[in-house]
Amino acid sequence: MFTQRSQTSRRSFAQTVRNRVLGSDLVDLLTGPHGVDRYTELVDRTWTQGEARAKVVDVRRTTPRSVTLILAPNERFTSANACKAGQYVNVAIEIDGRRHIRCYSPANAEGSATLELTVGRHDGGLVSNYLYEQARRGMVVGLTGVGGDFVLPSPGSSESPRRILFVSGGSGITPVMAMLRTLVAEGQLQNQRGEIAFVHYARTPAEACYRDELAAMPGVRVLHGYTRSGAGDLTGRFGPQHLAAAMPSPDAVFVCGPTALVDAVREHCDNVYTESFVPPVVTAPSNPSGGRITFADSGIDVIDDGRSLLEQAESAGLTPENGCRMGICHTCTRRKVSGTVRSLTTGAVSTAADEDIQICVSVPVGDVDLSL
């Protein structure tokens, strides 16, 4: 009879042996040119050595405008990524034969064996509506990396604040839930090592994700504001009154949500850490450069019309991988062989050759040669 620890060790050893065999030069030779993944995925689509994937093991539709997916990542993801509370993952979804990549912040605590994604349904949102309507157990999605600087300071560090105010709006609640759950798991809330308050804005009480869990969470003062209902703890938009009700003069404020909410928090608070997945408002140049854009790998040339390099590539019939389309996820990064581009988000001009750029937020300034 084996103990649970010995069973876990045997399973880990078996996985190690399997990975060494599947990753060997001999197996690679025998399964060429497609590689071993093209064969193992016929048995299970998450059995891949080279591509991070996850299987949907649970689907919950707990509000009228959101769906929660519980994902079990394969070993390729878990061995290469350590997602901190507040960071996002790039999720690849195939819809009608086309691959779409979006950024989602997991809501689970750090160190969880599964990823919990709560996706807010947006009017006109291709991926969010697809997941709300079609997501099911057994569905497999791609995972293309982890990113983001919206994270808590390391516990016990000199930067660790004692009085923290969290503010979120809509689906911006997910990275905050990850932070709160991590603090609970680490025992920081039960030990009362600091003071924590949380203000969440939703359209109605029915659309407020995690409301019951938050009500039972120890050591957190939770206030809800409903923008289309007067039934909440707070009325109206974030301002001095909401700040005073939640936590006057916090040491640090973590806010995630629409741009208007982030701006309001910045106006009334210091030491603000932010995250927003709302596309920046960018204006294409009124006078396009008229330069020539050369997509060198495809043998296609076009004349610059002022739009982003991604949009112009798509208009030329190319299908470069992309995700957020707002300069966050880096999925669209391509090598600029030569030429000058300007960032739509920062205004910075880049002239360096052989440089990686995000084509979703870059516009040409004259001729540009792009490896695409």
Side-chain angles (χ1 to χ4, degrees):
M1 181 175 181
F2 294 101
T3 65
Q4 183 176 1
R5 177 174 297 181
S6 65
Q7 290 174 344
T8 301
S9 298
R10 285 168 62 87
R11 185 163 50 248
S12 177
F13 175 75
Q15 290 174 342
T16 300
V17 172
R18 184 197 69 189
N19 292 340
R20 287 180 178 177
V21 171
L22 293 179
S24 68
D25 293 338
L26 176 59
V27 171
D28 184 60
L29 177 64
L30 294 175
T31 56
H34 304 293
V36 67
D37 285 355
R38 299 292 77 82
Y39 296 91
T40 56
E41 69 180 2
L42 295 176
V43 180
D44 188 318
R45 290 188 60 203
T46 62
W47 287 8
T48 53
Q49 294 290 304
E51 185 176 344
R53 295 179 182 175
K55 181 178 293 185
V56 177
V57 296
D58 197 11
V59 178
R60 307 166 190 163
R61 293 177 175 87
T62 55
T63 80
R65 295 185 64 86
S66 69
V67 58
T68 297
L69 311 178
I70 307 300
L71 306 182
N74 65 2
E75 192 172 341
R76 178 65 181 85
F77 178 82
T78 54
S79 63
N81 299 274
C83 187
K84 295 182 178 180
Q87 289 189 305
Y88 61 82
V89 295
N90 295 323
V91 181
I93 310 291
E94 187 172 302
I95 304 175
D96 296 330
R98 295 195 62 180
R99 196 167 189 250
H100 302 268
I101 300 176
R102 297 292 185 270
C103 303
Y104 295 115
S105 295
N108 52 273
E110 285 184 25
S112 173
T114 58
L115 297 176
E116 179 176 326
L117 307 182
T118 293
V119 180
R121 187 178 190 179
H122 301 289
D123 296 336
L126 174 65
V127 175
S128 65
N129 279 282
Y130 176 83
L131 290 175
Y132 183 84
E133 297 167 359
Q134 304 294 333
R136 65 194 184 282
R137 292 185 181 183
M139 178 180 178
V140 174
V141 301
L143 300 174
T144 63
V146 172
D149 299 321
F150 188 62
V151 296
L152 289 168
S154 301
S157 70
S158 59
E159 300 177 355
S160 182
R162 289 188 55 81
R163 303 180 70 251
I164 303 175
L165 172 63
F166 294 102
V167 182
S168 66
S171 58
I173 193 174
T174 54
V176 173
M177 284 302 301
M179 293 178 177
L180 289 174
R181 286 169 164 175
T182 298
L183 291 174
V184 169
E186 293 175 348
Q188 295 197 44
L189 301 187
Q190 295 90 329
N191 295 335
Q192 297 182 341
R193 297 180 184 176
E195 183 180 354
I196 294 178
F198 178 32
V199 175
H200 177 62
Y201 296 92
R203 302 200 307 181
T204 65
E207 295 181 21
C209 301
Y210 302 107
R211 186 172 56 166
D212 293 341
E213 180 180 347
L214 286 167
M217 188 170 286
V220 182
R221 174 173 173 74
V222 179
L223 300 174
H224 281 92
Y226 302 118
T227 58
R228 298 188 182 181
S229 168
D233 306 298
L234 305 168
T235 58
R237 309 288 176 172
F238 184 89
Q241 291 182 336
H242 291 196
L243 179 61
M247 179 183 288
S249 304
D251 296 334
V253 181
F254 292 82
V255 54
C256 184
T259 302
L261 175 60
V262 173
D263 290 344
V265 172
R266 282 188 175 278
E267 180 181 353
H268 299 289
C269 301
D270 298 320
N271 299 322
V272 176
Y273 301 84
T274 70
E275 184 76 282
S276 177
F277 293 129
V278 178
V281 178
V282 296
T283 303
S286 56
N287 297 311
S289 70
R292 182 173 296 278
I293 305 172
T294 302
F295 300 110
D297 298 347
S298 306
I300 296 175
D301 292 350
V302 298
I303 301 300
D304 173 35
D305 62 13
R307 294 178 297 162
S308 72
L309 285 165
L310 172 60
E311 292 174 294
Q312 296 194 62
E314 291 174 332
S315 294
L318 303 178
T319 57
E321 285 194 5
N322 64 89
C324 66
R325 303 181 78 95
M326 55 178 141
I328 294 177
C329 72
H330 296 271
T331 304
C332 70
T333 299
R334 293 295 182 273
R335 175 59 57 94
K336 174 170 67 72
V337 180
S338 63
T340 302
V341 297
R342 180 173 64 84
S343 169
L344 288 169
T345 55
T346 66
V349 173
S350 167
T351 61
D354 293 320
E355 177 185 39
D356 289 336
I357 63 171
Q358 294 170 271
I359 61 175
C360 71
V361 290
S362 297
V363 294
V365 181
D367 295 343
V368 173
D369 190 343
L370 197 65
S371 180
L372 178 62

